[in-house]
Amino acid sequence: MNIQPIARFHSPMSSKFGLPRQSGLVSSLTGRIVFEPPYRHAEAVRGIEDFSHLWIIWQFSANRHEAQGLTVRPPRLGGNERIGVFASRSPFRPNSLGLSCVELKRVEMSAELGPVIHVAGADLMDGTPIYDVKPYVAYADAHPDARSGFVDKKEWGKLQVEIPDECRALFTADELEGLLGVLAEDPRPRYHADATRVYGMPFAGRDVRFRVADGRLVVVEAPRL
């Protein structure tokens, strides 16, 4: 089967580094689904605004190499313990496909781009190819009593985030809210614990640089990229 992208995703996140590790973790992070020319018609999304959430099928397009082996090291297990690739949501998969559930905020009708879908809570970077969009249907898709394997056994604590006023002023209100949510999830690799190290994360056209120590993340600067 040969499949082609039907849309592209656009957001402030221009790099894999810092992306939420699952969809829905940062509900304040917003983005747009922009369709490819053949699908830029109102008929293609007729009725979609009656749904609150959507499933997105997309490609891990930024992976530089193919999946190797049948086991992976999930960040939630500290990046050291291995489990089977099909028992994980690792981006390094045989077919390099991702599946995300996002909140549908609104549909904007653009004279140039057709219907543009604004969503929240995505874990996709800017420019990601999207292969399909499907509505989330609660009676079939929601399983509140489901077990989540190792995810249930490992707590994922959020960081306290501090951004100085001079850096806050560099972002719009929506960008700042999304940035706070992304940083609270701790963008660092799970095996990093150097309190003196300065990390850089591209966000909304700026290099957000920060340090982390004792559960506290402090932004030190955010120059333009």
Side-chain angles (χ1 to χ4, degrees), residues 24-61:
L25 287 181
V26 183
S27 59
S28 56
L29 183 62
T30 59
R32 299 176 298 134
I33 298 172
V34 178
F35 287 98
E36 295 293 294
Y39 310 102
R40 292 178 180 176
H41 300 279
E43 290 83 358
V45 297
R46 183 187 298 172
I48 200 169
E49 288 182 283
D50 292 335
F51 295 89
S52 65
H53 291 75
L54 303 172
W55 290 109
I56 302 176
I57 300 173
W58 50 280
Q59 180 188 6
F60 290 104
S61 54

Side-chain angles (χ1 to χ4, degrees), residues 6-220:
I6 55 104
R8 299 276 173 176
F9 192 77
H10 295 281
S11 86
M13 306 293 301
S14 58
S15 168
K16 291 194 301 181
F17 185 82
L19 280 173
R21 292 181 172 90
Q22 301 292 340
S23 60
L25 287 181
V26 183
S27 59
S28 56
L29 183 62
T30 59
R32 299 176 298 134
I33 298 172
V34 178
F35 287 98
E36 295 293 294
Y39 310 102
R40 292 178 180 176
H41 300 279
E43 290 83 358
V45 297
R46 183 187 298 172
I48 200 169
E49 288 182 283
D50 292 335
F51 295 89
S52 65
H53 291 75
L54 303 172
W55 290 109
I56 302 176
I57 300 173
W58 50 280
Q59 180 188 6
F60 290 104
S61 54
N63 287 353
R64 296 180 180 177
H65 57 81
E66 296 181 356
Q68 298 179 351
L70 298 177
T71 60
V72 296
R73 297 182 295 179
R76 194 152 189 141
L77 293 177
N80 295 312
E81 185 176 341
R82 287 190 173 274
I83 64 171
V85 64
F86 300 124
S88 79
R89 296 195 177 188
S90 168
F92 298 102
R93 320 187 65 79
N95 284 319
S96 197
L97 291 176
L99 176 66
S100 297
C101 184
V102 298
E103 182 184 1
L104 193 163
K105 304 299 289 187
R106 63 188 175 92
V107 178
E108 170 194 2
M109 294 304 301
S110 165
E112 178 185 2
L113 301 175
V116 176
I117 302 177
H118 293 254
V119 301
D123 53 346
L124 287 68
M125 65 180 285
D126 187 61
T128 295
I130 294 175
Y131 291 107
D132 207 354
V133 175
K134 301 176 185 288
Y136 176 96
V137 181
Y139 87 91
D141 295 344
H143 302 279
D145 298 324
R147 291 179 290 111
S148 300
F150 67 88
V151 179
D152 289 337
K153 302 172 185 176
K154 295 286 184 178
E155 184 178 357
W156 192 280
K158 292 182 181 291
L159 297 176
Q160 176 187 345
V161 179
E162 296 182 14
I163 302 179
D165 290 342
E166 59 268 26
C167 290
R168 285 175 174 263
L170 301 174
F171 301 96
T172 68
D174 287 344
E175 288 171 345
L176 183 60
E177 189 176 4
L179 177 61
L180 286 166
V182 168
L183 294 177
E185 290 293 328
D186 195 351
R188 301 172 302 163
R190 298 304 287 179
Y191 49 85
H192 282 200
D194 184 354
T196 65
R197 180 169 179 172
V198 176
Y199 296 86
M201 183 189 78
F203 186 91
R206 293 188 174 274
D207 183 16
V208 179
R209 298 174 183 172
F210 59 90
R211 291 190 180 93
V212 180
D214 301 323
R216 180 168 158 262
L217 183 151
V218 179
V219 173
V220 295

